[in-house]
Amino acid sequence: MVASSVSRSREFQADATGAQMAGQPWGLAKALEKLEVASKVAPMNATPATAHLFIVNPLTGGGWTTLFSTHPPIAERVARLRALARSQAR
């Protein structure tokens, strides 16, 4: 559980760093949304052992599986990127 939490923190930091490097948090947020939609339309053949290698969580499910997910929810990642974009615009 601690490893999952650390991994999620790294995902958020990677998003912020990527947005800073690209200069456009909105663009990264939109890309994440597109990847999430695509992952639902064409699911990937992944296992829990390989899920951490994907940009978006390739595994479906809820409940207990989300506790051990290394990926934070896309909606939360997008919300943080949009908040970052708003703070940069000020």
Side-chain angles (χ1 to χ4, degrees), residues 30-48:
K30 190 67 177 164
L32 284 171
E33 290 173 327
K34 287 180 181 180
L35 286 170
E36 182 178 36
V37 168
S39 73
K40 290 179 179 164
V41 171
M44 302 298 284
N45 185 14
T47 66

Side-chain angles (χ1 to χ4, degrees), residues 70-90:
T70 58
H71 294 76
I74 293 293
E76 190 174 342
R77 292 172 70 186
V78 167
R80 287 183 183 214
L81 286 167
R82 290 192 172 145
L84 178 63
R86 284 190 295 273
S87 71
Q88 288 179 352
R90 292 178 190 173

Side-chain angles (χ1 to χ4, degrees), residues 55-77:
I55 294 172
V56 296
N57 189 357
L59 305 175
T60 59
W64 289 102
T65 59
T66 58
L67 290 176
F68 301 104
S69 174
T70 58
H71 294 76
I74 293 293
E76 190 174 342
R77 292 172 70 186

